[in-house]
Amino acid sequence: ATGVAKKMGIPAEDTITLTVQWENLESKNIGTAVYTASWVAGTADVHSQQRFFYMGHKGEITVDQAHRGYSSAGDEKGSFQSINPLYMKYTKAPDGHFGGRHGYGYRSFERFVEQAKAVNA
């Protein structure tokens, strides 16, 4: 796509989209990928949309970096998950303690409580 750069006197594409066919060398299965990169975009809820979508034989994955999460779905009923690994981690940390204390969700609550205690001190 052209337009913005051209109006600025720059001989360049604004947006480039590639459609690529891939072959799994072991299984000979064929896959198709669509890649789009753009340095121009309209006003949105985030500065840049950074997404990845994968659809495979037995499920799909959507990564949405702009909104700090991803989702996955499989063929099994009830397998859909909306995951945000940076917000809260529900597994143990390497030291054996609650791992969620390192996510930005836990830290934001922790900082709020600390500040509330400081105001009331």
Side-chain angles (χ1 to χ4, degrees), residues 17-58:
T17 299
L18 303 173
T19 303
V20 179
Q21 189 174 62
W22 296 94
E23 178 183 3
N24 181 312
L25 297 177
E26 187 176 311
S27 69
K28 302 301 181 196
N29 290 338
I30 300 294
T32 302
V34 179
Y35 303 93
T36 299
S38 181
W39 66 275
V40 297
T43 303
D45 60 331
V46 294
H47 178 69
S48 65
Q49 299 288 343
Q50 301 167 21
R51 297 184 207 132
F52 171 83
F53 175 74
Y54 166 81
M55 181 184 291
H57 294 291
K58 297 185 179 189

Side-chain angles (χ1 to χ4, degrees), residues 34-107:
V34 179
Y35 303 93
T36 299
S38 181
W39 66 275
V40 297
T43 303
D45 60 331
V46 294
H47 178 69
S48 65
Q49 299 288 343
Q50 301 167 21
R51 297 184 207 132
F52 171 83
F53 175 74
Y54 166 81
M55 181 184 291
H57 294 291
K58 297 185 179 189
E60 62 186 46
I61 298 172
T62 302
V63 177
D64 185 355
Q65 174 60 29
H67 296 98
R68 296 184 175 157
Y70 63 93
S71 60
S72 65
D75 290 342
E76 304 81 32
K77 185 177 180 178
S79 67
F80 179 79
Q81 298 179 53
S82 185
I83 306 160
N84 185 341
L86 300 177
Y87 181 75
M88 187 72 72
K89 187 175 180 182
Y90 297 101
T91 58
K92 289 184 179 181
D95 63 6
H97 292 95
F98 174 60
R101 69 186 190 278
H102 300 296
Y104 73 87
Y106 181 90
R107 287 182 178 182

